[in-house]
Every structure is written in structure tokens, then in C-alpha cells.
């Protein structure tokens, strides 16, 4: 059994333990166990045979700027076309545009297989899929009809253009301008950190871009545009200033783009750009969790394989033993396994909640799951990223000096994953969002939904130590939530504590989702007391 096959097996097992997935399947009765298993198995085969061979190629070759255009690594263009033609990009996009309209939960179950195989190429798929949803919702009928089907087919692609040299997370300081002139919108300014801002994979690239269209301060003056790299067959006025030299993700060109009166199409209402763009941002944040999970799965497998093959230690008068026999290595492998499975459970839980927020026939149920999904999203985004990196680092520790060399892939996993807790909103931004929006603005509705779901599972659990631990973690979070609510009158003090508050929430989520794992899964006396990526302080799983 390959690592991809094991990943499918574990995903199917956890899907079966995800209550939200059972509710989603009630709306999709055609998705029986055999169908879901077949889809995941096919995704694993595609990932292993088409995408995985490009993982090292993209890292070694990187991308080049040649005569003003970006050249991507060998094989990327063909693999991307095959990915889209096989239907993977449009799994959960609407039927009306050529998508398959499958649940987002199923897409989120497949995505970590693709991310594991070649995360750099999947950066293009992630932004293009998210743009498909954005355009289907915000674009005028003709634009949506023209673009979404082409994105699904892999003929065209899309980016998200927010950041500028002097305006990263502080989007209210965006200076790129949109001006209506000569009967159409024109965009001028510089956008930075644009993944696949230019490339040779698709024949057309559309930039989903925020620009200022009036003099209102902050985000109120921002509008959303689609800026194609060619307009009506003519090359648009967009230039690639440079490709960033990065620590990892070498196969994904990160571009600085210069827009000089580039023709553009406004999406939605003027001045409502940022709220509209969240249709795209939310899906990309879930994709970050899937990226971290894919890398964690791969790093775990490498660590286990190496530990069984590498022989060292034992009595001097006997043959050396596999290092997997050593208690400390067993402890390390247990931690790797457990935090990976908790992340897998969280990704599936979040995706199911996002599905139910739209699929449920009951208004109150839709609102409940929408509140819960909004609460869980910053946690999955941030801790998915942190667990991906931490698992790669821990796997390197298992391999020792070998892990630090390019003979093994974990050093690339570590380099590729480091950026994930930075893009799509840094750890600090996620913590502030979690505090100010999810607790203060939403008046704790998402927290209340989480408590309802978690206590339901605790009551049904048979593992008393784990149930007690989950109860304690929830009580700790509720106590801290009351304190953070009180501190809304002292925002600077609350902001200082926001990171710790977010980590306390993840501790509670991790303790809850641990109830879905086998009682002894990656948790025995060897791993007792190990601090894993779960909370604000070292966290001990009750075994």
C-alpha cells in the first residue's frame, strides 16, 4: 500500500466519523460509500502518477522570467491541463458553468492528495477554483459565462491581487487606482506577492484585483475588478517587474505586477470590493489547511518508512535494530500521527459545515453551520499551516542528518510549508479576526455552535479520560472567552492576548476531535507529556 493509498484509507475512516458529512450525504444520496471510495482512489492515482513526479522537478528548475513572461518548470503545463480535464478543478463548482456540483467536503477530502503530490502547481489550481466561485457570484452574467467554464476546463486561470509594496494585510492603504475613462475601467498601480501572476500554462490569466475607485478612507473606497492579461485579443497593459527569490515553492512564480491603465471589468458593486472578495479568500484559507494536511501526511509517511529501514543501536553483540524500536522515536512518530489526524478531522469538519451552511433546508440550521464554519475557518487555516511545517520539522528530526539533505523530501516539505502561516492572512491576522469578528462582532455565536457540537460528542463518547480532557479544554476556552469579551473595552490588551486565545480555541477543537480517533492512536505512554501544535502551552493528551 502506497502513502497515497493510506491517506485515502484514513480519510474515508474519518469521513465516516464526521456527523456533518452524514448530513451532507443525505442531500447527495448518490454519494454512497463505494462512489466516495472510487473518487478518492482515483484522486490518489492521479496525484501519485501525474503530479508527484513534478514535486522535485519544480523545486530544482524553478521559474524564469524570459522576455517579460514567466516560464514554468517542465511538465507543469501538461499536468495542469490533465488535472482540469479530468474534472478535479471543477468538482464543487456549479453545473451551470460545467462543474460537477459535488459537496465541498468531497473536494476537501481529495485536495490534500493533490497538495501532497505537488503543492507548488496546486497554487494555480487553488486560486483559479476560488476565482471560479467569485466570478459565478459577483460577475455580470456575460463575464461569468465567458470565464468560469474556461477556468474549470484549464484553458484560462486566475489570481488574487490584493497586496502592494506598502499595503499587505493593511488593505485599507491600497493605492492602486481604478478610473472609469473612455467608456471602460482602467487600473493603474503595483501588486506584489501574486502567485502565478504570470505563466505559460494557460492561454489567458484573469487577475481578481482590489483597487481604489473613490476617496473614501480605508476599505470603503475599494472595488473589485477582473483584469485579464489580454483584452479582446490585445495584450493588456500589465508587466511583470520580477519574480521573487523564495525559500520554497520554487515551482510557483510569485510575481510583482505593474498595471498601467490596464483595461478591467468591475465585479459587483463599486465600493464593496473587500466583502465580495471574501468569497475567494474563504476558499483559499480552507485550501491552506488542505496544503498543510497534504504535507503533514507525506512527512509522516517518510518518517515511518525511514524509521523502519534505518538500523542503529541495540546490543553491541547483535545486529542493529530499526530505529522504530527505540522509545524516543516511537514517541516522535506518535506525535506526528496524532496531530496529522486531528488536522484531517478538522478539515473535513469545516468543509462539511460550509456545505451545510448552504445545503440545509432549515434556515436556523444553515445559520448555525454558517456561524460555526466562520469560527472554525481561521483555526484550520492557521493550524493547518503550522502543523504542516511542524510535522515536516519533526520528520526531519526522526531522519536525523539524512533529513537535512536533499536525498529525502522532508527538507523541501519544510521549505514549501513555511509560507503557509504567512499568506492568506498571517497568524497574527487570523488571531485578530478570530477575536474581533468571531467573538466580539458575532457575539460568540460560532463559539456557542462549537460548544453544542463538542458537548454532544462528549456525551456519546466511551473513552472517559479523553472525554474529561475535552470537557476541561472547552471549559478553559469558555473561561478565557469571558475574559476576552470583558477586554473588548480595552482592545490593545485584548489584541496582545489574541494569539493565546486562538491557541486555546485550537486546544479545545483538538481535544474534541481526538474523540474520533482510536483510543490508542498515536497516544501511548511514550508520547505522554509531548507538546504538539494544539494550544497556547504544552498540551498533554489523556491516554
Amino acid at each position: 500500500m502506497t502513502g497515497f493509498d493510506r491517506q485515502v484509507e484514513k480519510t474515508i475512516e474519518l469521513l465516516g466519523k464526521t456527523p456533518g458529512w452524514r448530513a451532507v450525504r443525505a442531500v447527495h444520496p448518490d454519494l454512497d460509500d463505494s462512489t466516495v471510495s472510487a473518487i478518492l482512489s482515483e484522486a490518489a492515482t492521479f496525484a501519485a502518477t501525474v503530479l508527484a513526479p513534478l514535486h522535485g522537478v519544480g523545486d530544482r528548475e524553478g521559474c524564469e522570467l524570459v522576455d517579460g513572461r514567466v516560464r514554468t518548470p517542465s511538465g507543469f503545463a501538461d499536468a495542469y491541463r490533465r488535472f482540469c480535464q479530468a474534472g478535479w478543478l471543477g468538482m464543487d463548482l456549479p453545473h451551470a458553468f460545467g462543474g460537477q456540483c459535488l459537496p465541498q467536503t468531497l473536494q476537501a477530502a481529495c485536495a490534500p492528495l493533490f497538495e501532497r503530490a505537488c503543492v507548488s502547481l496546486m497554487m494555480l489550481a487553488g486560486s483559479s477554483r476560488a476565482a471560479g466561485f467569485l466570478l459565478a457570484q459577483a460577475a455580470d452574467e456575460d463575464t461569468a459565462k465567458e470565464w468560469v467554464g474556461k477556468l474549470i476546463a484549464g484553458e484560462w486561470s486566475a489570481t488574487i491581487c490584493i497586496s502592494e509594496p506598502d499595503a499587505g494585510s493593511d488593505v485599507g492603504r491600497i493605492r492602486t487606482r481604478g478610473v472609469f475613462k473612455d467608456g471602460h475601467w482602467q487600473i493603474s498601480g503595483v501588486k506584489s506577492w501574486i502567485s502565478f501572476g504570470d505563466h505559460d500554462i494557460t492561454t489567458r490569466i484573469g487577475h481578481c484585483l482590489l483597487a481604489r475607485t473613490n476617496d473614501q478612507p480605508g476599505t470603503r473606497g475599494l472595488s473589485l475588478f477582473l483584469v485579464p492579461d489580454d483584452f479582446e485579443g490585445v495584450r493588456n497593459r500589465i508587466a511583470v517587474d520580477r519574480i521573487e527569490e523564495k525559500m520554497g515553492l520554487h515551482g510557483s512564480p510569485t510575481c510583482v505586477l505593474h498595471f498601467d491603465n490596464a483595461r478591467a471589468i468591475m465585479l459587483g458593486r463599486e465600493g464593496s470590493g473587500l466583502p465580495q472578495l471574501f468569497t475567494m479568500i474563504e476558499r483559499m484559507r480552507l485550501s491552506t489547511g488542505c496544503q498543510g494536511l497534504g504535507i503533514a501526511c507525506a512527512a509522516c509517511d517518510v518518517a515511518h518508512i525511514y524509521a523502519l529501514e534505518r538500523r542503529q543501536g541495540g546490543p553491541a553483540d547483535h545486529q542493529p535494530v530499526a530505529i522504530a524500536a527505540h522509545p524516543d522515536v516511537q514517541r516522535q512518530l506518535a506525535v506526528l500521527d496524532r496531530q496529522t489526524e486531528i488536522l484531517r478531522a478538522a478539515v473535513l469538519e469545516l468543509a462539511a459545515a460550509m456545505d451545510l451552511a448552504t445545503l440545509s433546508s432549515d434556515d436556523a440550521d444553515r445559520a448555525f453551520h454558517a456561524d460555526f464554519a466562520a469560527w472554525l475557518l481561521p483555526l484550520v487555516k492557521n493550524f493547518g499551516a503550522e502543523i504542516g511545517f511542524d510535522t515536516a520539522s519533526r520528520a526531519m528530526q526522526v531522519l536525523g542528518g539524512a533529513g537535512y539533505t536533499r536525498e529525502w523530501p522532508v527538507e523541501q516539505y519544510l521549505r514549501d510549508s513555511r509560507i503557509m502561516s504567512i499568506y492568506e492572512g498571517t497568524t497574527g491576522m487570523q488571531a485578530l479576526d478570530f477575536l474581533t469578528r468571531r467573538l466580539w462582532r458575532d457575539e460568540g455565536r460560532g463559539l456557542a455552535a462549537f460548544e453544542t457540537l463538542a458537548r454532544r460528542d462528549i456525551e456519546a463518547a466511551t473513552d472517559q479520560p479523553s472525554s474529561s480532557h475535552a470537557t476541561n479544554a472547552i471549559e478553559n476556552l469558555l473561561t478565557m472567552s469571558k475574559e476576552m469579551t470583558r477586554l473588548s473595552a480595552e482592545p490593545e490588551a485584548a489584541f496582545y492576548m489574541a494569539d493565546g486565545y486562538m491557541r486555546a480555541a485550537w486546544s479545545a477543537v483538538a481535544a474534541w476531535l481526538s474523540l474520533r480517533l482510536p483510543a490508542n492512536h498515536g497516544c501511548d505512554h511514550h508520547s505522554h507529556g509531548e507538546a504538539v501544535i494544539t494550544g497556547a502551552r504544552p498540551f498533554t493528551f489523556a491516554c
Side-chain angles (χ1 to χ4, degrees), residues 373-387:
W375 183 86
L376 187 57
L377 181 61
L379 300 178
V380 169
K381 187 278 173 188
N382 184 72
F383 293 100
E386 288 194 11
I387 286 171

Side-chain angles (χ1 to χ4, degrees), residues 1-3 5-6 16 21 39 98 100 161 165 244 248 303 312 316 400 447:
M1 179 183 290
T2 69
D5 294 331
R6 283 190 294 273
W21 173 238
I39 291 171
Q100 300 174 58
C161 285
E244 302 291 358
Q312 189 169 341
L447 173 63

Side-chain angles (χ1 to χ4, degrees), residues 3 76 294 386 487:
F76 269 40
E386 288 194 11
L487 284 175

Side-chain angles (χ1 to χ4, degrees), residues 306-479:
Y306 185 87
L308 290 171
E309 293 179 349
R310 171 65 167 161
R311 295 186 170 274
Q312 189 169 341
D317 56 346
H318 290 72
Q319 290 293 318
V321 300
I323 63 171
H326 298 313
D328 186 64
V329 174
Q330 293 172 5
R331 173 192 61 81
Q332 294 181 69
L333 295 174
V335 173
L336 286 168
D337 288 345
R338 195 163 187 87
Q339 66 182 23
T340 299
E341 294 311 302
I342 287 171
L343 176 57
R344 193 191 315 278
V347 165
L348 297 175
E349 181 71 30
L350 172 58
M354 294 173 79
D355 275 330
L356 293 173
T358 59
L359 293 176
S360 177
S361 59
D362 180 77
D363 290 346
D365 193 55
R366 285 199 303 274
F368 175 90
H369 285 100
D371 287 336
F372 175 60
W375 183 86
L376 187 57
L377 181 61
L379 300 178
V380 169
K381 187 278 173 188
N382 184 72
F383 293 100
E386 288 194 11
I387 286 171
F389 178 78
D390 185 73
T391 304
S393 179
R394 289 175 182 272
M396 185 179 291
Q397 191 72 21
V398 172
L399 271 66
Y404 197 64
T405 70
R406 294 194 174 184
E407 181 181 0
W408 293 85
V410 290
E411 64 87 26
Q412 185 183 340
Y413 296 146
L414 186 136
R415 289 186 288 106
D416 285 347
S417 62
R418 183 60 188 90
I419 187 61
M420 292 171 189
S421 61
I422 299 174
Y423 60 38
E424 308 309 332
T426 64
T427 298
M429 294 302 297
Q430 298 301 323
L432 291 175
D433 177 80
F434 187 70
L435 171 65
T436 61
R437 294 175 183 265
R438 305 287 79 94
L439 181 64
W440 292 352
R441 191 191 69 179
D442 292 354
E443 299 179 325
R445 293 192 305 273
L447 173 63
F450 161 69
E451 184 183 4
T452 297
L453 295 171
R455 291 198 187 279
R456 176 203 63 192
D457 290 355
I458 289 170
E459 289 177 6
T462 58
D463 183 346
Q464 187 57 47
S466 294
S467 297
S468 296
H469 181 73
T471 298
N472 292 338
I474 292 168
E475 292 297 337
N476 177 63
L477 174 61
L478 294 175
T479 299

Side-chain angles (χ1 to χ4, degrees), residues 23-174:
V24 171
R25 283 181 53 170
V27 185
H28 289 269
D30 52 321
L31 291 176
D32 55 30
D33 289 344
S34 61
T35 301
V36 171
S37 178
I39 291 171
L40 282 165
S41 295
E42 188 62 30
T45 298
F46 187 92
T49 59
V50 179
L51 298 177
L54 300 176
H55 173 71
V57 173
D59 189 57
R60 290 191 301 272
E61 293 187 10
C63 299
E64 294 181 276
L65 189 59
V66 180
D67 297 328
R69 300 304 303 269
V70 173
R71 180 184 297 167
T72 56
S74 306
F76 269 40
D78 179 64
Y80 187 75
R81 282 192 293 270
R82 293 173 65 183
F83 176 82
C84 295
Q85 290 167 3
W88 298 118
L89 189 103
M91 284 184 70
D92 55 340
L93 278 153
H95 278 308
F97 299 103
Q100 300 174 58
C101 209
L102 291 168
Q104 186 167 204
T105 313
L106 190 54
Q107 191 276 336
C110 292
L113 292 160
F114 305 134
E115 302 291 358
R116 168 190 185 135
C118 189
V119 65
S120 59
L121 179 55
M122 288 300 99
M123 293 287 289
L124 178 60
S127 59
S128 295
R129 169 180 165 268
F133 280 100
L134 172 66
L135 295 173
Q137 176 179 303
D140 63 82
E141 184 177 352
D142 289 342
T143 300
K145 185 176 179 180
E146 178 187 21
W147 273 86
V148 179
K150 295 286 191 180
L151 292 174
I152 291 172
E155 297 176 37
W156 297 353
S157 58
T159 75
I160 182 169
C161 285
I162 301 177
S163 296
E164 299 180 8
D166 297 318
S169 299
D170 190 1
V171 295
R173 299 186 187 277
I174 283 176

Side-chain angles (χ1 to χ4, degrees), residues 194-211:
I194 311 305
S195 298
F196 281 93
D198 190 71
H199 57 83
D200 55 2
I201 294 177
T202 63
T203 59
R204 199 178 188 194
I205 305 168
H207 303 290
C208 299
L209 178 147
L210 283 179

